[in-house]
């Protein structure tokens, strides 16, 4: 889907950021004319600013003269402490989730009214999905989004509830009261199931990841084909992964066994059966 032409920003910094912002997963390669048209900047201004970004490494130019995002931005982005700490702790558990399904195992964080995916491991024949590393999707229509929204600041929750809830499929939760009830259930149950809310053919199960102060800092999920999916079999695996990541991040609640797990006690000298 093409982006609308924008009102040209006035400051140099805003113009540089505006140029970077016109690149997307759908338009990873753009000509100078494309960038000029999408930003609303004059072609001469675009040429000068694109040249500066290319010289610094934020953009790269291919053999056909088209531009794409450069590796220097990836290098800078990888230094973001929120993504680095969480991703490093989560990666072994995300790998375990992938091994359990050979579909998609994902890690996401909250950013504004959207989720940003920090990690995704996918099988070769995994079901096709919209999410990608570094990509964004709405809170109300994804498993990880429902988890993050359910534990977000109440003010943010109300902003989302009273804002437009885009309907992506017949199953998308697009009514505020239905979403409010769903979020309460996520907080109560400790997981979210999103069945065909963005793509009708996929189902995701997600659980919250807690940080050092037991605040929810991320969400982890598996995404599988909706046809034949059994969420009840995926929920324990996803929650166990979330608990393992939380323990690595120092969450106090993750240091003890959940109440549903009974610890066996034996008298001295008595063998366990």
């Amino acid at each position: 889907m093409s982006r609308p032409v924008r009102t040209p920003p006035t400051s140099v910094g805003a113009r540089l950021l505006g140029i970077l912002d016109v690149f997307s997963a759908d338009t990873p390669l753009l000509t100078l004319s494309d960038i000029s048209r999408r930003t609303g900047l004059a072609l001469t201004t675009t040429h000068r600013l694109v040249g500066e970004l290319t010289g610094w490494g934020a953009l790269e130019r291919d053999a056909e003269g088209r531009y794409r995002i450069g590796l220097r931005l990836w290098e800078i982005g990888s230094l973001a402490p929120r993504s680095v700490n969480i991703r490093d702790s989560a990666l072994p558990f995300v790998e375990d989730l992938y091994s359990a399904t050979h579909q998609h195992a994902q890690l996401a964080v909250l950013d504004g009214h959207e989720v940003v995916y920090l990690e995704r491991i996918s099988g070769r024949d995994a079901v096709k999905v919209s999410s990608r590393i570094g990509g964004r999707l709405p809170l109300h229509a994804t498993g990880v989004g429902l988890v993050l929204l359910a534990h977000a600041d109440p003010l943010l929750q109300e902003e989302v509830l009273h804002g437009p809830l885009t309907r992506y499929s017949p199953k998308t939760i697009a009514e505020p009261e239905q979403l409010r009830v769903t979020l309460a259930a996520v907080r109560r149950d400790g997981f979210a199931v999103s069945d065909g809310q963005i793509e009708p053919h996929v189902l995701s199960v997600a659980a919250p990841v807690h940080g050092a102060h037991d605040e929810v800092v991320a969400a982890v999920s598996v995404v599988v084909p909706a046809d034949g999916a059994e969420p009840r079999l995926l929920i324990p695996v996803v929650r166990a992964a979330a608990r393992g990541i939380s323990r690595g991040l120092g969450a106090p609640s993750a240091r003890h066994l959940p109440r549903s797990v009974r610890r066996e006690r034996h008298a001295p000298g008595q063998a366990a059966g």
Side-chain angles (χ1 to χ4, degrees):
M1 183 172 62
S2 61
R3 299 187 181 187
V5 175
R6 308 172 185 190
T7 302
T10 55
S11 71
V12 175
R15 289 178 177 182
L16 291 169
L17 293 174
I19 289 173
L20 297 175
D21 196 42
V22 299
F23 291 87
S24 70
D26 296 326
T27 57
L29 288 169
L30 295 172
T31 65
L32 199 63
S33 296
D34 292 333
I35 299 170
S36 174
R37 184 174 62 256
R38 288 167 180 263
T39 58
L41 296 171
L43 190 59
T44 53
T45 302
T46 304
H47 182 271
R48 175 172 58 82
L49 295 177
V50 165
E52 292 181 14
L53 290 169
T54 304
W56 185 77
L59 293 178
E60 296 175 348
R61 189 167 184 244
D62 69 10
E64 298 178 20
R66 298 172 300 177
Y67 293 89
R68 61 192 173 203
I69 295 296
L71 287 177
R72 185 73 183 275
L73 282 184
W74 177 86
E75 179 185 354
I76 297 297
S78 68
L79 299 175
R82 185 157 62 122
S83 66
V84 172
N85 295 340
I86 296 174
R87 183 183 177 277
D88 286 351
S89 295
L91 192 54
F93 298 95
V94 175
E95 291 173 344
D96 288 345
L97 277 181
Y98 162 73
S99 297
T101 64
H102 291 281
Q103 287 289 328
H104 302 284
Q106 306 183 135
L107 177 74
V109 295
L110 175 71
D111 189 35
H113 290 190
E114 298 173 307
V115 299
V116 176
Y117 291 87
L118 300 184
E119 185 59 82
R120 190 182 86 184
I121 301 177
S122 305
R124 180 181 302 174
D125 300 319
V127 62
K128 185 177 180 181
V129 295
S130 299
S131 60
R132 61 180 178 83
I133 296 176
R136 294 171 176 267
L137 284 176
L139 291 170
H140 71 284
T142 57
V144 287
L146 289 172
V147 166
L148 293 168
L149 183 58
H151 296 279
D153 182 273
L155 181 59
L156 175 60
Q157 292 182 20
E158 292 303 317
E159 289 176 359
V160 174
L161 285 162
H162 289 92
L165 297 173
T166 303
R167 188 180 294 278
Y168 298 90
S169 82
K171 291 186 175 182
T172 304
I173 301 174
E175 299 298 329
E177 287 311 309
Q178 182 187 3
L179 180 57
R180 196 183 297 275
V181 171
T182 299
L183 297 178
V186 172
R187 287 190 292 271
R188 180 194 67 221
D189 299 334
F191 64 87
V193 177
S194 179
D195 184 1
Q197 287 207 74
I198 288 188
E199 292 118 341
H201 61 287
V202 302
L203 177 144
S204 69
V205 175
V209 172
H210 296 264
H213 303 288
D214 263 343
E215 76 283 19
V216 173
V217 296
V220 65
S221 71
V222 292
V223 182
V224 300
D227 186 22
E230 296 189 59
R232 64 183 180 83
L233 300 180
L234 298 172
I235 291 167
V237 181
V238 176
R239 294 189 70 185
R243 189 176 186 83
I245 301 169
S246 300
R247 187 180 299 114
L249 294 173
S253 62
R255 297 173 188 168
H256 309 288
L257 289 172
R259 286 179 294 178
S260 59
V261 177
R262 181 166 59 93
R263 188 188 300 275
E264 295 289 347
R265 296 182 179 275
H266 305 281
Q270 179 180 357

